[in-house]
Amino acid sequence: MTSPLVRVENLTVDFGSVRAVDGLSFTLDAGAALGVVGESGSGKSATASALLGLHRGTGARVGGTVRVAGTDVNAVDEAGLRALRGAKAAMVFQDPLSSLDPYYTVGDQIAEVYRVHNPVSRRAARARAVEVLDRVGIPDAARRARSRPHEFSGGMRQRALIAMALACEPRLIVADEPTTALDVTVQAQVLDLLHELRRETGTGLLLVTHDVGVAAESVDDILVMRHGRAVERGPVAEVLGAPRQAYTRELLASVPRVDRKRVVPAQAQVPAPARAAAPVTGPARVPAQLTVPAPRAAEERGGPLLEAVGLRREFGRGRDRVTAVDGVSLTLHAGETLGIVGESGSGKTTLGRMLVRLLDPTEGSLRYSGAEIGSLPEKGLRPFRRELQMVFQDPVSSLNPRRSVGESVADPIRAAGETDEARIRDRVRELLERVGLDAGRYERYPHEFSGGQRQRIGIARALAAEPKLIVCDEPVSALDVTTQAQVVALLGELQRELGIGLVFIAHDLAVVRQVSDRVAVMRQGRIVEQGEADEVYGSPQHPYTRQLLAAVPALDPALAAARRAARRELAAA
């Protein structure tokens, strides 16, 4: 009987007093694909790292047995680990920018990996780099091999990492959240690529993801983790179609569905503004379907809160000039949510920054509450700054790591002229509680919070200014489905209570449908389709909108396989 490619028995991983992985056991056969899913903190990435011995030298304590392609990972010496990594097993990380050296060409980096494990010349190694770049679908691979990482798009950088993993023809690829930051079309391309490579080469795949839909598209079996332990394992169709465990059912219930209409709460259910939000800590507290602000008829909304006409934004000069946003017009009313979707590079973020005047429009008109603000100088914008706020995609980079979160939330309050420190601290504690955090953590620093908690801090800071309009730029893109659902539900609750207008920018079409009254679809700087959310999703008119919807991962593995086959036929045509 053939031994499994991967055998994990009673694996434990401890970081100080925290046990990240607790007695985990599983196997993976050669050529098979296993998806490891769960919330942030469930131990998924710690497990993936243990397969390649990446905890070695970090201070983490690893116990149990991990055998990969015949190598006892926990017992082998450093030379044995080097022989394993790249040649027998390779890792594809979540963030290609942090995995690729910005100073060297992509081709040279792949060639160096190849030469570490194969006694070949530099010329032969470069030829191998071009070969694998071509294999993963990089156009004009010989020329692009001489490019540096910043010259690649996000999807191309992820393909380059997969090419690097393939260079030495490993028997196992461990992919840790390889599509988290990618839009749906590029995500579909990367998942199709992994599937084709596995089918053609017989490489085993262990896919770590918080996106259950991504797992359904890509693997044979699913392992559901929680608190470092295995909750459920089985064939993907069986686990997703008829989960046996309550936690798996709760996890699936939190997944936003592109084919599911919004659930709108009755107006009588609107809570009193003074009530503080209770902290939300797990999927059991998340409703199966998100509740969002009730839409109002146009005649009930009054005049627009925000009106953009012909917005245009250019970067660069002369022959290097690039038009990021090209003639965009839209309106937003108080208490309404406008979703903006599109691929990376479509102009979504640039548009969002212009709507709150963090970027100046090159052309066009921008009116807020009837006042023209599109061409105002900074001095003239000051009266509007408090009312126009933005929640950014990455709360880590938007929070100062050297200041406590309480002080970061207090900044807008001080900027508004409040000088009484006691009142400032009371207001910050109130805001932290309002977004479901413990007010006693005022003095804690950003690194002491989870990703979802940091996003709540960003929302609290935006609320500190008492805004009437918030632009949310990919606020849940890096969060697991339960945390994502909690943050989206929080935004909806705040909007119902405070009447805030929301612009919700995201590449996740399923999330956008659950939160939006209206949706605008962007492509190459322009809006190609916009309308009521259910109309756009239920009966899309533009071919590009239909293309985006067709690329959304399906929870039904049979449907996912049919879509993959259709994309393969279309690409071959």
Side-chain angles (χ1 to χ4, degrees), residues 457-492:
I457 294 164
I459 294 170
R461 185 172 59 179
L463 291 175
E466 300 180 357
K468 294 182 179 177
L469 169 70
I470 299 178
V471 173
C472 300
D473 184 16
E474 298 280 10
V476 297
S477 65
L479 306 179
D480 62 61
V481 290
T482 51
T483 307
Q484 185 181 89
Q486 293 160 13
V487 171
V488 167
L490 170 64
L491 287 169

Side-chain angles (χ1 to χ4, degrees), residues 339-362:
I340 300 178
V341 300
E343 296 175 282
S344 298
S346 62
K348 306 187 301 295
T349 293
T350 300
L351 173 61
R353 289 172 181 264
M354 282 196 291
L355 293 181
V356 294
R357 280 299 308 275
L358 292 179
L359 278 177
D360 299 330
T362 305

Side-chain angles (χ1 to χ4, degrees), residues 85-428:
R85 297 169 183 165
K88 296 180 181 179
M91 190 96 166
V92 177
F93 293 95
Q94 175 177 349
D95 181 10
L97 269 183
S98 63
S99 307
L100 294 168
D101 193 312
Y103 295 103
Y104 293 92
T105 68
V106 169
D108 282 347
Q109 294 182 62
I110 296 173
E112 183 62 25
V113 170
Y114 188 64
R115 292 191 71 212
V116 166
H117 297 283
N118 297 274
V120 299
S121 66
R122 291 184 182 274
R123 176 176 292 184
R126 291 194 187 101
R128 176 60 176 165
V130 172
E131 179 185 342
V132 291
L133 285 172
D134 181 69
R135 178 63 195 84
V136 300
I138 299 293
D140 195 4
R143 180 179 64 86
R144 296 312 302 266
R146 298 190 294 272
S147 300
R148 287 176 170 77
H150 73 273
E151 298 176 275
F152 278 30
S153 67
M156 288 176 66
R157 284 194 292 265
Q158 198 60 278
R159 287 173 181 267
L161 275 189
I162 295 172
M164 187 180 293
L166 289 174
C168 298
E169 300 181 350
R171 296 175 59 192
L172 171 69
I173 291 179
V174 180
D176 187 5
E177 301 281 9
T179 63
T180 293
L182 304 180
D183 58 60
V184 287
T185 51
V186 178
Q187 175 178 264
Q189 294 165 11
V190 170
L191 295 177
D192 288 351
L193 171 63
L194 288 171
H195 181 82
E196 290 301 308
L197 291 171
R198 185 167 65 89
R199 184 173 63 86
E200 293 176 7
T201 66
T203 303
L205 173 67
L206 187 132
L207 175 68
V208 172
T209 180
H210 66 251
D211 190 326
V212 182
V214 166
E217 291 265 351
S218 314
V219 301
D220 307 314
D221 287 6
I222 280 186
L223 171 66
V224 181
M225 291 188 67
R226 187 186 193 191
H227 302 326
R229 299 181 178 182
V231 173
E232 184 166 357
R233 167 153 187 194
V236 61
E238 191 176 294
V239 173
L240 298 186
R244 298 186 302 275
Q245 301 299 320
Y247 175 74
T248 308
R249 292 193 291 271
E250 292 162 2
L251 194 67
L252 290 172
S254 300
V255 177
R257 310 289 179 90
V258 75
D259 57 351
R260 177 185 289 169
K261 292 186 177 181
R262 296 171 301 148
V263 176
V264 180
Q267 290 298 321
Q269 293 177 304
V270 176
R275 186 180 62 80
V280 187
T281 57
R285 295 175 180 254
V286 182
Q289 291 179 294
L290 301 180
T291 56
V292 297
R296 294 183 292 170
E299 60 270 16
E300 297 175 355
R301 294 171 179 162
L305 177 66
L306 186 74
E307 186 175 14
V309 179
L311 284 188
R312 181 181 179 89
R313 174 68 194 200
E314 298 175 348
F315 294 97
R317 296 181 180 179
R319 300 172 68 177
D320 295 327
R321 182 178 299 166
V322 174
T323 301
V325 174
D326 188 6
V328 166
S329 298
L330 53 83
T331 59
L332 178 75
H333 292 80
E336 180 185 42
T337 300
L338 172 67
I340 300 178
V341 300
E343 296 175 282
S344 298
S346 62
K348 306 187 301 295
T349 293
T350 300
L351 173 61
R353 289 172 181 264
M354 282 196 291
L355 293 181
V356 294
R357 280 299 308 275
L358 292 179
L359 278 177
D360 299 330
T362 305
E363 295 178 11
S365 171
L366 184 64
R367 298 181 67 84
Y368 169 70
S369 292
E372 170 62 50
I373 65 169
S375 57
L376 285 177
E378 182 58 35
K379 183 177 180 180
L381 274 174
R382 287 173 188 165
F384 303 99
R385 281 298 185 200
R386 292 189 65 189
E387 299 182 9
L388 302 170
Q389 292 292 314
M390 193 158 189
V391 175
F392 297 93
Q393 175 178 358
D394 182 9
V396 175
S397 62
S398 58
L399 292 171
N400 189 330
R402 294 180 176 85
R403 302 183 70 215
S404 72
V405 297
E407 288 302 298
S408 290
V409 174
D411 285 342
I413 303 173
R414 292 195 176 99
E418 178 61 70
T419 58
D420 188 307
E421 287 301 315
R423 281 202 293 264
I424 291 172
R425 293 182 73 89
D426 286 345
R427 175 61 176 152
V428 170

